[in-house]
């Protein structure tokens, strides 16, 4: 467990092993592929959209005997969580840069699995690895940067590049969410309870270990004229709160309108499932704010988009959940704030 | 020492503190400034150039009683080492994304100093912080991504975007290096010997703690028609070896031509100073390969550019150092390979 089985491999051997294992996911056809001082690729005039996010062993996941996920899941999630931030702008993710900090728990088998997870998530999200860095450390972590692009509006508003922004909610807009928020939190609760292998919970466990970023939905929302959105990384209430704060409006979420996963209700009860939707983390669904017509048109059988609330003038800067009587409802489980112990 | 004095601050309070301390170095005037799901900025048609690099406490620096540098130096170096990779492409660095992993040793005072170092280095290198992530961890580390741009050749070779690449060395080219390679290694040796405060060593210690990336030189080299370069992060010999390998040529470095810092010679002897130039790390000077005329024209009093060798057909894939008799010389201190203990 605490040996350092990668110590015998040098930095360059490890990079070669990783690049070879990434296969077609390595960005080999760009202007300057991985292996130079920096990667380079051609872009048309428009906007570069970039985000960065890290997963740390023991904070974002546990390995070993009471593991919350396998190494391949860690690799997958690192990609999906970053791609989700680009999806939440309505932009197109393209290239990934990876910093891998190799701690004692990461042996060669674990490294290979982690890279396989990165590779599978890159394939699923249509992005390529353009570069990275590998360093030694006392704990394993994966930092990623995803860089994408957005192009000028076809309607030609003077070279404007439209994006989904947090500060674009206006009084009278409605609020929608994709998928089943809280599913990831329910999956984690089942994993922690030692029930991850029960077949009826597979969808919830997969929501935690293998989330899919909503890239196509973000782009479709932008094309439909929606200009405000965020991804759900800290629970619907906290993330809708960011929109309220940045837009200077109030947001109201109807508790009973929340699309909770039927399996989450079965496992945790309707109150538990709703609290996880409001305050659980890491769903990577999108909260979208716009006109009712635009949002309704985004709903599909594969990725449901459900209206859950509205933008109001009251309580500016805050998102409130309201129960069936119209009273403010405060979930038991608060949003995920990584730095508070 | 091992308390967690940042634990009382939440993620958002920390981000606010950091953004406010970054001041004018935060990218506030871009299309989507920090504070949304991702940052976005407008670019003309051309190439995006991107690199990522991490510094880990205990690996790349030591804090505490036997510190190799202060927290502000750590912040500075994280910026400079990443910007250097963009400089080594001949591109223009523009935006920085920062992942800060907060370990137990990082109290508020240390955090502020680290951010001040980031801010000072961003100002010196004319880049802005466009985003980041802050996470809790068992050790402190700083991962950065620097994103820059390069534009199509003014001479208009069919939309070609010229860059300095490792695979562009040709037999008959000459090899040059900027500044005084080995100065950073000599500075570290003096720090380790407890002599960092001796005034005559200030320049060497600064070379280790506050290196300057050679952005203007990289761009000037590209403008002068040079198409091959690398930055010196692992010693001249190992980095010239990357050029030899990627270009399928041999590189010969004349030991006596190496521009070693006079203070490094005074402190470590000429052999010690040369070994550090060949095999010491983290100088962030540029090795450039091209025609003699082009390289000679880059030499200035502020940033000397010295011819140190040539590209040959012999020993393809390898860079050799040669002594005054023309015999192969192997330095005692090997290049820096982070993952070998």
């Amino acid at each position: 467990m605490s040996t350092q089985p990668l110590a015998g491999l040098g930095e360059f051997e490890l990079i070669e092993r990783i690049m070879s294992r990434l296969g077609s996911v390595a960005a080999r056809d760009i202007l300057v592929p991985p292996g130079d001082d920096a990667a380079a690729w051609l872009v048309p005039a428009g906007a570069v959209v970039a985000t960065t996010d890290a997963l740390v062993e023991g904070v974002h996941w546990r390995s070993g005997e009471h593991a919350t996920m396998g190494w391949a899941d860690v690799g997958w999630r690192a990609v999906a969580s970053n791609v989700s931030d680009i999806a939440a702008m309505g932009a197109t993710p393209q290239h990934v840069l990876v910093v891998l900090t190799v701690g004692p728990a990461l042996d060669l088998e674990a490294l290979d699995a982690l890279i396989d997870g990165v590779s599978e998530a890159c394939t699923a999200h249509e992005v390529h690895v353009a570069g990275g860095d590998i360093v030694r450390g006392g704990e394993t972590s994966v930092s990623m940067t995803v860089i994408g692009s957005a192009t000028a509006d076809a309607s030609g508003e003077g070279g404007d590049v439209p994006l989904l922004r947090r500060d674009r909610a206006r009084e009278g807009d409605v609020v929608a969410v994709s998928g089943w928020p809280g599913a990831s939190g329910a999956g984690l609760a089942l994993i922690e309870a030692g029930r991850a292998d029960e077949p009826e919970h597979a969808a919830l466990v997969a929501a935690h270990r293998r989330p899919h970023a909503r890239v196509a939905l973000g782009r479709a929302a932008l094309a439909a004229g929606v200009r405000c959105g965020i991804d759900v990384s800290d629970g619907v209430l906290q993330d809708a709160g960011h929109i309220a704060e940045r837009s200077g409006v109030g947001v109201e979420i109807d508790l009973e309108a929340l699309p909770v996963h039927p399996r989450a209700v079965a496992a945790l009860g309707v109150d538990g499932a709703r609290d996880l939707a409001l305050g659980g983390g890491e769903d990577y669904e999108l909260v979208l704010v716009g006109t009712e017509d635009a949002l309704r048109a985004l709903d599909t059988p594969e990725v449901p988009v459900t209206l859950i609330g509205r933008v109001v003038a009251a309580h500016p800067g805050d998102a409130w959940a309201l129960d069936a009587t119209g009273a403010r409802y405060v979930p038991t489980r608060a949003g995920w704030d990584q730095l508070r112990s």
Side-chain angles (χ1 to χ4, degrees), chain A:
Chain A
M1 286 296 292
S2 60
T3 55
Q4 299 198 19
L6 287 185
L9 281 184
E11 180 181 355
F12 302 111
E13 291 157 284
L14 274 177
I15 290 171
E16 207 165 295
R17 185 183 183 98
I18 290 170
M19 290 305 294
S20 136
R21 200 158 183 106
L22 281 174
S24 64
V25 155
R28 291 181 211 282
D29 295 332
I30 57 178
L31 182 63
V32 181
D36 215 301
D37 293 282
W41 56 90
L42 295 174
V43 289
V48 167
V49 184
T51 187
T52 193
D53 214 11
L55 295 184
V56 180
E57 187 182 356
V59 177
H60 298 91
W61 86 91
R62 276 198 318 272
S63 300
E65 204 183 341
H66 298 287
T68 54
M69 57 181 79
W71 288 103
D73 302 321
V74 173
W76 176 289
R77 274 185 69 97
V79 174
S81 67
N82 277 284
V83 167
S84 179
D85 282 324
I86 304 293
M89 303 299 290
T92 305
Q94 292 165 316
H95 294 101
V96 181
L97 304 175
V98 186
V99 171
L100 178 59
T101 305
V102 175
L106 194 79
D107 58 19
L108 263 188
E109 197 185 345
L111 174 72
D112 287 347
L114 183 109
I115 300 306
D116 288 349
V118 168
S119 178
E120 288 157 26
C122 285
T123 301
H125 292 92
E126 297 179 38
V127 294
H128 290 84
V129 176
D133 188 22
I134 184 160
V135 293
R136 199 158 39 96
E139 67 197 356
T140 298
S141 67
V142 188
S143 284
M144 276 194 194
T145 298
V146 175
I147 305 171
S149 66
T151 47
D153 194 346
S155 70
E157 308 168 25
D160 182 41
V161 177
L163 290 165
L164 300 176
R165 304 170 59 139
R166 297 182 179 183
D167 59 1
R168 290 294 191 272
R170 300 289 174 261
E171 190 187 339
D173 284 345
V174 297
V175 179
V177 71
S178 63
W180 299 270
S184 170
L188 178 58
L190 288 159
I191 293 164
E192 297 287 17
R195 298 172 57 189
D197 294 334
E198 298 172 8
E200 67 269 34
H201 299 133
L204 298 177
V205 170
H208 182 69
R209 292 179 176 163
R210 298 273 172 146
H212 283 261
R214 301 299 194 188
V215 177
L217 175 61
R219 296 184 61 180
L222 201 59
V226 177
R227 292 293 178 268
C228 180
I230 189 170
D231 72 328
V232 182
S233 50
D234 299 306
V236 167
L237 203 53
Q238 183 165 325
D239 288 311
H242 294 314
I243 286 179
E245 191 187 347
R246 297 293 306 282
S247 297
V249 297
V251 170
E252 291 180 353
I253 307 292
D254 296 323
L255 191 62
E256 306 218 332
L258 277 174
V260 285
H261 198 286
R263 290 294 181 188
V265 175
L268 301 157
V270 68
D271 291 343
R274 284 175 178 164
D275 280 6
L276 283 176
L278 289 173
E282 308 172 324
D283 279 304
Y284 307 122
E285 298 295 348
L286 296 184
V287 167
L288 298 166
V289 178
T291 65
E292 186 170 336
D293 285 352
L295 294 176
R296 279 199 192 281
L298 296 171
D299 184 45
T300 65
E302 295 75 34
V303 182
V305 173
T306 310
L307 304 190
I308 58 170
R310 71 207 69 82
V311 178
V312 297
H315 52 83
D318 272 331
W320 287 8
L322 303 179
D323 67 17
T325 72
R328 186 173 181 187
Y329 173 82
V330 178
T332 312
R333 189 191 147 98
W336 194 265
D337 189 341
Q338 295 174 3
L339 282 157
R340 244 182 263 277
S341 352

